[in-house]
Every structure is written in structure tokens, then in C-alpha cells.
Amino acid sequence: MVSLNITSMFKNTVDTQKIQDKVQRMKTKILVGSPSGLEHAGKNGEVTEAAELAKQLYFGTAEIPARPFLTDAIEKNKDEIADALKKEAKREMDGGQANWAKVGSLAVGKIQEFVRGDYYRETIPNSPRTIEEKGSDKPLIDTSNLINATDYIVKGEND
């Protein structure tokens, strides 16, 4: 899972120290990725744990090039995600209840949108052998089980 670091999102704000102190006390992390325990069934009938497959695709193997889709997607959408983080942190700083699930859901959606886009098709395309085996030139997607299993967890001080 990738952690969305709330603290780093506030470094260029007006009252940096006050905001950073408050965010440190929040001790909230939003983890985004493929949870353990879910199985991914490929087109050829092979079954792999989704988290293990995500790790292989993210870091690469001897046969698969690395495609760090989680961090690439977060980086591509960092301004929108940062704005959502700031909005929820401000809500909590003002005495309300932050909706961290909203930020997690946004991040998951942006990752799914990114993977379904053409970035890796254009930058790190599938090999001809892979295209023939899975019948598609779309990197990271064969049955869509893995990308649909992408989720988030909000971890707070009491977790």
C-alpha cells in the first residue's frame, strides 16, 4: 500500500508550524493499494494473491518490467489529492470531523483511471509475447480483477 502523507502536503502554507503540529496530532494515514487476502484469477486460470501480483507489477520481476502505477498515479494527480487532503485537515482543525475516506476513495479512483489510461502502453508497452498470451496490449490489465481490487485503509492514532 502507498501512504498519502498529509504532513508533506502543508509545507508551503501560511502558518506552517501550526498546521504541521495539528497534522502530527491527527496521526492519520491513508494507505492505498491492493489488500492482502484477495485472489486474482488471470485469463489463463492461474490464481495469485492480488497484493503479490500488484507487488510484482509495481517493482517488476525478471520477466516483467517495473510499472510503479501507485506512485505514478498519485504523482500525476498530486495537486487534486493534496487539495482534498488539505480540505479535510482544515475541517478537522476547525473542530469538525474530517472525511478521510473521501480522500482515500479519490486516490483509488485516480489510480484506477491512471491504470486504465494509456501511460504504460506508451512508455512501457507489453512485449509481443505478453500481447499474444493475454490478447491485449494494455499493460497491468488482463481481467481487471487487480485494478478493481485497489482499495484504501484509513489508519488513525487508535489503529
Side-chain angles (χ1 to χ4, degrees):
M1 294 245 176
V2 172
S3 176
L4 302 179
N5 187 340
I6 296 168
T7 306
S8 66
M9 303 291 185
F10 288 99
K11 288 193 174 162
N12 296 320
T13 57
V14 177
D15 193 348
T16 306
Q17 192 59 52
K18 178 182 174 188
I19 292 171
Q20 286 180 346
D21 290 346
K22 179 67 175 177
V23 170
Q24 282 296 92
R25 287 192 302 275
M26 286 182 210
K27 296 185 188 227
T28 300
K29 288 185 180 183
I30 303 167
L31 306 175
V32 182
S34 295
S36 297
L38 297 176
E39 290 185 343
H40 168 78
K43 282 188 176 177
N44 298 331
E46 74 280 353
V47 176
T48 308
E49 185 171 322
E52 178 59 31
L53 179 59
K55 183 176 99 175
Q56 291 172 7
L57 295 172
Y58 185 92
F59 292 108
T61 67
E63 298 173 356
I64 302 170
R67 293 181 180 101
F69 60 97
L70 296 170
T71 50
D72 285 348
I74 298 296
E75 180 62 29
K76 180 178 186 261
N77 295 285
K78 69 181 176 185
D79 291 340
E80 187 175 349
I81 294 168
D83 287 346
L85 283 167
K86 288 177 187 179
K87 181 178 177 182
E88 296 308 318
K90 181 174 181 350
R91 184 183 315 244
E92 192 160 307
M93 289 174 59
D94 291 343
Q97 180 69 36
N99 185 353
W100 300 119
K102 183 176 181 179
V103 180
S105 183
L106 171 68
V108 167
K110 292 300 179 182
I111 290 166
Q112 291 172 335
E113 181 181 297
F114 180 81
V115 169
R116 289 182 177 117
D118 289 333
Y119 178 78
Y120 288 119
R121 186 183 296 180
E122 295 167 358
T123 59
I124 309 171
N126 282 338
S127 71
R129 186 182 116 225
T130 299
I131 293 170
E132 184 178 327
E133 284 177 7
K134 74 179 202 175
S136 169
D137 67 344
K138 192 73 162 167
L140 302 175
I141 296 179
D142 58 359
T143 64
S144 294
N145 290 350
L146 178 68
I147 195 59
N148 290 338
T150 303
D151 206 351
Y152 68 91
I153 299 170
V154 176
K155 296 193 81 74
E157 188 172 328
N158 299 322
D159 295 331

